[in-house]
Amino acid sequence: MTRSLRVSILFLICGFIFTSDASPIRKGEWSGSGGDGYAFVFTNLGYRLHRELLMEPYKPHQRQVRDDMSLAHFLGAVDNTKVIVTSEDIADKHGHEQTAIYYSPDELRALYKKKGKSRSEIETIIKDFPGGLIVVQGERFQNELRENMAAAFATVFHEYRRVLGLEEDNYRSSASRYDLEFFEDLQHKFSSVTQEVVRQARQEDQIAVSKMEKIDREKQRIEKELKEDYAELAQVRKSRRPFVDAARKSYSKLMNAYADVLDTMGIVAMPFPSAYSDTVSALGEAGSAGMDMEQKLSELEVINLQSQFLEGNIRRNMDFYEKIDLLRQKLFLDSLK
């Protein structure tokens, strides 16, 4: 994990802790911190959605989200896009009211230029969110959280897809595939940690706790996520072992075949029987299996993606945990002064 990403994550939680009581940011204040608690909720749902889609069990003959889009790019969109909450109504270019709307960096430059900002002022404003800006209508998003969590996840998913340039207005490009039913079905498969994040998101406007309690609650969540990560990493590594063993056997068989070919040419004597025809047959079967479904990720590719994510997430969360623990200590010491 890069230093800039760690800093941005820490800034996010600090903004949530210290400014969750702030009033919604209005259109004239879109360069603000975005510290409203629901901005944190929106981003956090993005992280959990990425995890659920990446860790979804492999299905051999069914296309999954990770086959249609790079989930690493999706995670990057969550990392690099600022989210703010407004009390104003927001609408797309057709005048249809929306829960959220995305502004690309170029759209933001044009917007601020109309407001009379200089080029240097504009670049200063948007330098910390290279992915652009998602503006969330607070009341509509709160209603989604309370009444239909699947709708809230659909909003989060589609807005981050917009960041990646994968969406058109009104979600035409993916509405048939990633509709409300898709997210309702996904909810039934959520891990226990994601379910807890969902419960907390629904209660955000009902919770009035101190800064210290918010930090403690976040520490507890991270502890549970670390436990989840370690357990899933152990399972992923266990499932990868048969592939490693099979690859080792195939490699040994292939080398034996090459050696046997050399033997028939009189270059070197080998004491084992020919495996050339078997190797060619095995390679043919592997090629056939690989073409079973166009662009469908192989199970081993998915396992490797999951393993890389879990290892990186463990490092990120341990680093994050240490930072917010230091923040808690600082608050405690400040209270003694």
Side-chain angles (χ1 to χ4, degrees), residues 50 69-78 160 164:
H50 163 265
M69 62 181 285
S70 167
L71 291 180
H73 291 165
F74 184 89
L75 180 60
V78 181
Y160 284 122
L164 298 176

Side-chain angles (χ1 to χ4, degrees), residues 8 11 29 45 74-75 103 112 119-120 145 147 164 169 173 184 226 260 284 291 299 302-303 315 319 328 333:
S8 66
F11 174 80
E29 301 168 336
L45 291 181
F74 184 89
L75 180 60
Y103 293 88
Y112 281 118
R119 180 178 297 180
S120 61
L145 292 172
E147 298 171 10
L164 298 176
D169 288 332
S173 67
E184 288 172 343
L226 282 167
D260 200 45
M291 292 183 291
E299 187 172 1
V302 170
I303 289 172
R315 290 193 297 270
D319 187 49
R328 187 187 188 283
L333 293 173

Side-chain angles (χ1 to χ4, degrees), residues 306-323:
Q306 292 174 340
S307 178
Q308 291 166 12
F309 164 71
L310 290 169
E311 290 167 355
N313 207 44
I314 286 172
R315 290 193 297 270
R316 175 180 70 84
N317 276 328
M318 290 183 70
D319 187 49
F320 189 25
Y321 185 90
E322 291 174 358
K323 283 183 169 64

Side-chain angles (χ1 to χ4, degrees), residues 16-47:
F16 169 61
I17 291 168
F18 290 113
T19 61
S20 61
D21 296 328
S23 60
I25 297 172
R26 306 186 73 82
K27 192 175 296 185
E29 301 168 336
W30 282 1
S31 60
S33 67
D36 186 282
Y38 283 103
F40 173 81
V41 168
F42 192 99
T43 305
N44 206 22
L45 291 181
Y47 282 121

Side-chain angles (χ1 to χ4, degrees), residues 43-146:
T43 305
N44 206 22
L45 291 181
Y47 282 121
R48 294 307 304 185
L49 185 56
H50 163 265
R51 181 196 184 88
E52 294 294 341
L53 295 174
L54 178 63
M55 299 306 298
E56 187 179 5
Y58 184 80
K59 298 174 183 175
H61 303 292
Q62 180 176 328
R63 289 185 66 79
Q64 294 165 281
V65 176
R66 59 185 169 227
D67 297 309
D68 289 336
M69 62 181 285
S70 167
L71 291 180
H73 291 165
F74 184 89
L75 180 60
V78 181
D79 285 335
N80 296 313
T81 307
K82 180 181 280 293
V83 177
I84 64 171
V85 178
T86 181
S87 60
E88 296 179 352
D89 293 336
I90 55 178
D92 60 24
K93 63 184 180 182
H94 303 293
H96 301 142
E97 286 193 12
Q98 301 289 342
T99 301
I101 191 166
Y102 169 65
Y103 293 88
S104 70
D106 286 341
E107 288 173 328
L108 287 174
R109 289 184 178 94
L111 179 66
Y112 281 118
K113 187 175 181 180
K114 287 182 179 179
K115 293 177 179 290
K117 299 286 187 182
S118 68
R119 180 178 297 180
S120 61
E121 287 176 321
I122 293 172
E123 295 306 318
T124 299
I125 290 171
I126 66 175
K127 69 179 181 180
D128 291 329
F129 43 105
L133 174 71
I134 295 174
V135 181
V136 180
Q137 209 292 322
E139 186 176 353
R140 287 175 64 100
F141 188 53
Q142 290 172 35
N143 287 338
E144 288 181 358
L145 292 172
R146 296 190 195 106

Side-chain angles (χ1 to χ4, degrees), residues 114-258:
K114 287 182 179 179
K115 293 177 179 290
K117 299 286 187 182
S118 68
R119 180 178 297 180
S120 61
E121 287 176 321
I122 293 172
E123 295 306 318
T124 299
I125 290 171
I126 66 175
K127 69 179 181 180
D128 291 329
F129 43 105
L133 174 71
I134 295 174
V135 181
V136 180
Q137 209 292 322
E139 186 176 353
R140 287 175 64 100
F141 188 53
Q142 290 172 35
N143 287 338
E144 288 181 358
L145 292 172
R146 296 190 195 106
E147 298 171 10
N148 190 345
M149 200 68 198
F153 270 102
T155 295
V156 171
F157 178 76
H158 288 297
E159 289 309 316
Y160 284 122
R161 277 176 63 90
R162 285 181 184 274
V163 176
L164 298 176
L166 300 176
E167 290 286 354
E168 301 172 9
D169 288 332
N170 300 321
Y171 310 142
R172 286 196 301 272
S173 67
S174 64
S176 60
R177 181 167 178 79
Y178 304 120
D179 55 11
L180 196 60
E181 184 179 354
F182 173 86
F183 290 97
E184 288 172 343
D185 180 61
L186 186 65
Q187 272 189 269
H188 298 303
K189 306 170 187 174
F190 281 166
S191 72
S192 59
V193 175
T194 299
Q195 290 171 2
E196 183 171 338
V197 169
V198 167
R199 285 194 297 271
Q200 291 179 357
R202 281 176 164 159
Q203 297 170 354
E204 179 57 35
D205 61 334
Q206 304 168 17
I207 296 175
V209 292
S210 69
K211 297 171 185 176
M212 194 78 78
E213 288 172 324
K214 286 184 178 181
I215 292 176
D216 287 339
R217 192 177 69 185
E218 189 63 15
K219 283 178 62 178
Q220 291 170 7
R221 185 194 66 77
I222 295 174
E223 287 170 354
K224 291 175 182 177
E225 186 167 334
L226 282 167
K227 184 178 180 180
E228 177 187 47
D229 284 345
Y230 279 118
E232 289 192 342
L233 183 58
Q235 187 61 38
V236 164
R237 286 176 172 171
K238 181 179 178 181
S239 64
R240 186 166 58 182
R241 189 69 208 179
F243 288 95
V244 174
D245 292 341
R248 185 181 293 110
K249 290 178 182 178
S250 295
Y251 182 77
S252 175
K253 190 174 184 180
L254 184 62
M255 291 304 99
N256 288 347
Y258 280 132

Side-chain angles (χ1 to χ4, degrees), residues 272-289:
F272 38 76
S274 173
Y276 182 73
S277 61
D278 290 342
T279 301
V280 171
S281 176
L283 289 174
E285 290 176 2
S288 175

